[in-house]
Structure formats: C-alpha cells, structure tokens
Amino acid sequence: NAGVTQTPKFQVLKTGQSMTLQCAQDMNHEYMSWYRQDPGMGLRLIHYSVGAGITDQGEVPNGYNVSRSTTEDFPLRLLSAAPSQTSVYFCASSYGFEGVAGYTFGSGTRLTVV
Amino acid sequence: EDQVTQSPEALRLQEGESSSLNCSYTVSGLRGLFWYRQDPGKGPEFLFTLYSAGEEKEKERLKATLTKKESFLHITAPKPEDSATYLCAVTSGGSYIPTFGRGTSLIVHP
C-alpha cells in the first residue's frame, strides 16, 4: 500500500517552461487536492477534485490546471512557470470530501523556478 | 472568512518538559478541527479530528482538546522524536475545505 505518490521530488524550471506534477493514490479515495506550502504562509489549496471527471478551484488556482480522468491520478500542470510558483507542492487524498479521518499527503515536490 | 492562528510559532523544550500548543480559530460554525504533524521534507501526517467543545483525543504523549474558540495540543513528557511542525486546520459552515494554520515548530532537546 503506497498511499499517495508524488513525482518528481525535486524540479528546477526556467521561467516560461511548462511541466506536470504527478500524483497517484492507491486507496480508492474519492477526494484529491493540491496544496502549495510556502514559508510563513501555511498550506494553500490550489485545486481539488471530488471524483473522476470533477475538479474545482481552490484559493490560489491561477497558473495551474488539473484534470481527473481516473480515481487514482490527479496531475497538476504548470502552464508557464513563474518565479512566484517556487514552492513545495503537496498532493492529498481522503475517502470523503471533508477528510474526517484526515487527509493522506504525499511527500511533496520541491519546485524552483529560475 | 475562516481564520486559524497557531501559537507559538516555535517552541523549544527539554526532553520530559510538558507543554501545550495553541490553535485559535474564527469560523462561522465549526464543522471539524484537525491536527497534523509534519516532519522536515515530508508531507503532513494526520493526528486527530475534533468536532465539539469539550471533546478530547489522545495518542501516545499527545492530547488534543477543543473549546468554542481554540484547541490545545498537550505534549506530555516529550521525547526528541516528537520534534516536528504541528499544523492545525478547520472546516466550517457549508464548506468542507480546510483552512490551515501556519504551524508550530517544536524542537525537543535530549
């Protein structure tokens, strides 16, 4: 049981480049989400999904796209990377939307945009 | 807008020195309050969910309590392996999306 798997763990991008952060879970969780964590800012929600084919925006969605074609996968796409997107990105999943049993987080992707 | 404030930002303890972390919140109708532990370089790990004032949950040396305005995470006789950042989050009203606090960084010295 791998839980939530994020790849890559580290990435350096040049301004304007695009890339996809991968997230996969093997727990058959309905709810998946992407957060970014910046020093002094706490975790901020980027996008979330309550099931395959359904996505919605969180607090800081600009510059990011998501899709959910399967229950297991929830990739995050950076369309045109900017230095302001330098951050640590976490994918999380839970059985229910509210995560009453808590969210399961991946180990994160540390992204640097130069 | 929900607000979650955690204090202190950082806390240093000696092994065995009990203390408490605070999470104060301003929400319109609390649905749930969550505590997570985050080790450096890793994602947060779920600890507890609390729903109503007066509720308490325990796990090893940790005990979480909840009032109408705040939650405390009590750490009894901490060990160096309890060193981590502790995050608090709340859900409220009609929204199931949690609002996270900025966390308390705890260091326990041997």
Side-chain angles (χ1 to χ4, degrees):
Chain A
N1 190 343
V4 176
T5 301
Q6 288 185 238
T7 56
K9 292 189 181 301
F10 301 94
Q11 183 70 50
V12 178
L13 287 179
K14 294 182 178 179
T15 298
Q17 287 184 319
S18 62
M19 78 160 295
T20 299
L21 280 62
Q22 301 292 342
C23 175
Q25 53 93 6
D26 61 358
M27 298 169 286
N28 200 31
H29 283 173
E30 299 171 344
Y31 178 80
M32 297 186 75
S33 55
W34 276 101
Y35 285 86
R36 60 178 290 173
Q37 188 174 42
D38 302 290
M41 296 292 290
L43 286 163
R44 292 185 291 169
L45 182 65
I46 305 171
H47 285 287
Y48 64 96
S49 168
V50 298
I54 306 171
T55 64
D56 207 344
Q57 297 180 351
E59 180 185 355
V60 287
N62 292 340
Y64 308 95
N65 271 355
V66 292
S67 60
R68 183 107 179 260
S69 57
T70 67
T71 299
E72 295 78 20
D73 300 300
F74 191 45
L76 177 72
R77 298 181 186 85
L78 278 69
L79 308 175
S80 177
S84 61
Q85 294 178 304
T86 293
S87 186
V88 181
Y89 291 85
F90 290 102
C91 179
S93 72
S94 68
Y95 181 72
F97 190 7
E98 190 171 9
V100 295
Y103 291 171
T104 301
F105 283 84
S107 57
T109 295
R110 185 174 295 274
L111 175 69
T112 302
V113 182
V114 298
Chain B
E1 182 178 325
D2 297 347
Q3 291 190 343
V4 179
T5 303
Q6 292 188 244
S7 61
E9 288 186 13
L11 181 62
R12 293 178 180 268
L13 300 173
Q14 288 296 127
E15 185 172 2
E17 179 186 3
S18 301
S19 188
S20 297
L21 313 183
N22 177 266
C23 172
S24 63
Y25 59 89
T26 304
V27 300
S28 55
L30 181 72
R31 296 187 63 91
L33 185 140
F34 308 84
W35 282 99
Y36 288 83
R37 168 193 171 124
Q38 185 174 21
D39 293 304
K42 296 188 177 180
E45 177 185 351
F46 172 72
L47 292 173
F48 306 112
T49 306
L50 301 168
Y51 293 104
S52 56
E55 188 175 0
E56 299 182 353
K57 293 276 181 72
E58 288 190 65
K59 181 179 181 179
E60 296 180 353
R61 295 176 292 282
L62 301 177
K63 183 169 78 171
T65 63
L66 182 64
T67 73
K68 290 186 178 180
K69 293 184 178 181
E70 57 193 349
S71 176
F72 292 94
L73 185 64
H74 307 277
I75 303 177
T76 301
K79 298 181 178 182
E81 52 262 42
D82 294 321
S83 298
T85 295
Y86 292 86
L87 303 174
C88 171
V90 299
T91 55
S92 69
S95 174
Y96 292 88
I97 298 174
T99 298
F100 281 86
R102 298 179 180 183
T104 293
S105 173
L106 173 66
I107 297 175
V108 181
H109 297 285

